[in-house]
Amino acid sequence: MRPFPKLAWRRSGRSPIGAIVVCAGNIIARAQNRVLRDVDPTAHAEIVALREAAKALGNYRLNGCTLYVTLEPCAMCAGAMIHARLDRLVFAAADPKAGAAGSVLGVVNHAQLNHQMVVESGFWAMRLRSCFGVFSGAQKTLTSGKSLDSLGLFRPFF
């Protein structure tokens, strides 16, 4: 996997948003927001990570996969996760302005949808924050090739 590119968020003064997709305990995709760099309103970290994961698996259905993201997904990203059939979403911080996993909208796991996923933000969110290291240590952690299991994210917490 390629290392993270130079972080455009540092120049823009915006908060960093990062996402990783995990399947069978291994990181199969990772991304950061590229909206400004790519001049693309759909280049959210979640969308970019889902695209990479689909390529890695050779299938747009990401059954058995978990998306870890630093901020609660927006409605666009939530819709993409539903279509991808993710098993689980873990986010580190709620988004009171545009969150679609319960903060503002209830797109993820809406009662009328045929796909439901596990949504976690408590304990796993704290572990996610330490994993991403608020992006300060993220490059070392995510480009090292280590699985999330070796980072301790799948250890039982009860």
Side-chain angles (χ1 to χ4, degrees), residues 20-147:
I20 56 176
V21 178
V22 175
C23 190
N26 293 307
I27 299 169
I28 61 169
R30 63 175 175 250
Q32 65 180 164
N33 263 13
R34 296 183 350 196
V35 174
L36 297 175
R37 186 177 69 212
D38 294 357
V39 191
D40 178 358
T42 68
H44 290 196
E46 300 94 326
I47 301 291
V48 176
L50 291 174
R51 287 176 185 153
E52 282 191 23
K55 286 179 188 174
L57 294 179
N59 192 343
Y60 75 99
R61 293 277 171 96
L62 303 177
N63 295 319
C65 293
T66 299
L67 175 71
Y68 293 87
V69 63
T70 55
L71 187 66
E72 181 181 4
C74 69
M76 174 185 67
C77 296
M81 291 184 289
I82 292 164
H83 287 291
R85 304 292 196 264
L86 283 174
D87 279 5
R88 189 168 80 163
L89 163 66
V90 181
F91 62 90
D95 184 356
K97 290 178 14 181
S103 291
V104 176
L105 300 170
V107 176
V108 176
N109 293 338
H110 189 278
Q112 291 181 301
L113 294 174
N114 65 346
H115 178 71
Q116 305 290 308
M117 70 184 82
V118 176
V119 178
E120 299 179 46
S121 61
F123 172 82
W124 289 108
M126 291 186 294
R127 298 303 297 261
L128 179 62
R129 283 189 196 109
S130 66
C131 174
F132 272 101
V134 190
F135 270 82
S136 60
Q139 283 184 295
K140 285 184 261 176
T141 303
L142 298 178
T143 59
S144 66
K146 291 183 180 179
S147 73

